[in-house]
Amino acid sequence: MAFKTKTAIGLEVTCSKVKLVEIASSANGMKITSFAVFDYPQDRKNSAKTIEQVKDAIGRTVLDTREIYGVISDPLVEHRIVLLPPMTEQEMYVVTRREARKGGETALQDVSFGFDVVGRIDRAGNKKTAVLIVTAPHGLVKEHIRTMEDMGICLRGLTIVPLA
């Protein structure tokens, strides 16, 4: 049976840049097939030029897939690593939600949060899980979604957890 090439686009909107990367996976592995970076003005009201540049980049390259995944990277996004005892994923969700509440000055209902296991530690039988907890103001997330919609992008997924 032949392996069909699958293409996905990664999109990152930061406070100063918009980055697009197209990745194709096939039986031979993964390959970056297209990449573009655009300046994104500090004044969001003057972002029309960048929006048009991104639309043009999508139009003139092979960036034609509907599998677009976005990541938000901004100084307002907070990152913390906490050590937790071993637990189920459901328990980890409850604990990280509580930990996210401790992160900043804003109430949990005013932020979006996510988490990812970044490592495991076993010291003399004492097991801990290193978990990255990330929070971002809801307003920032909504602004980025609006910006991507203005670019004509329909997101397949969006995360505030760094992909690297």
Side-chain angles (χ1 to χ4, degrees):
M1 181 159 119
F3 185 88
K4 185 177 179 186
T5 300
K6 179 85 170 163
T7 303
I9 294 176
L11 170 73
E12 180 181 23
V13 178
T14 69
C15 58
S16 63
K17 301 280 184 199
V18 175
K19 303 170 192 168
L20 285 165
V21 63
E22 180 184 55
I23 300 172
S25 64
S26 67
N28 298 329
M30 297 177 82
K31 178 181 176 184
I32 294 176
T33 55
S34 187
F35 184 81
V37 178
F38 306 98
D39 288 329
Y40 193 67
Q42 293 288 339
D43 180 5
R44 300 287 200 243
K45 293 175 185 167
N46 293 325
S47 62
K49 179 181 176 188
T50 300
I51 290 170
E52 286 307 312
Q53 287 177 318
V54 172
K55 284 181 179 179
D56 288 346
I58 292 171
R60 72 174 176 268
T61 65
V62 243
L63 298 172
D64 61 353
T65 180
R66 284 319 208 195
E67 300 281 319
I68 298 179
Y69 298 89
V71 61
I72 295 175
S73 177
D74 193 278
L76 296 175
V77 176
E78 295 181 7
H79 304 85
R80 291 185 303 122
I81 293 182
V82 297
L83 295 176
L84 302 174
M87 59 183 67
T88 67
E89 191 166 330
Q90 184 177 3
E91 292 169 326
M92 191 171 293
Y93 176 81
V94 171
V95 171
T96 56
R97 184 176 165 86
R98 185 179 64 235
E99 287 292 324
R101 202 176 289 144
K102 294 179 185 176
E105 301 297 320
T106 57
L108 185 58
Q109 58 268 26
D110 296 332
V111 298
S112 297
F113 88 99
F115 68 93
D116 199 9
V117 174
V118 293
R120 304 201 189 284
I121 300 169
D122 187 356
R123 290 191 186 138
N126 188 9
K127 296 181 180 186
K128 295 284 184 182
T129 303
V131 179
L132 173 66
I133 298 175
V134 184
T135 57
H138 277 316
L140 176 70
V141 174
K142 288 179 184 177
E143 177 184 333
H144 280 290
I145 291 171
R146 247 188 332 271
T147 299
M148 292 175 201
E149 288 172 349
D150 289 346
M151 291 177 190
I153 294 170
C154 180
L155 291 173
R156 177 81 168 175
L158 179 66
T159 185
I160 56 175
V161 178
L163 300 179

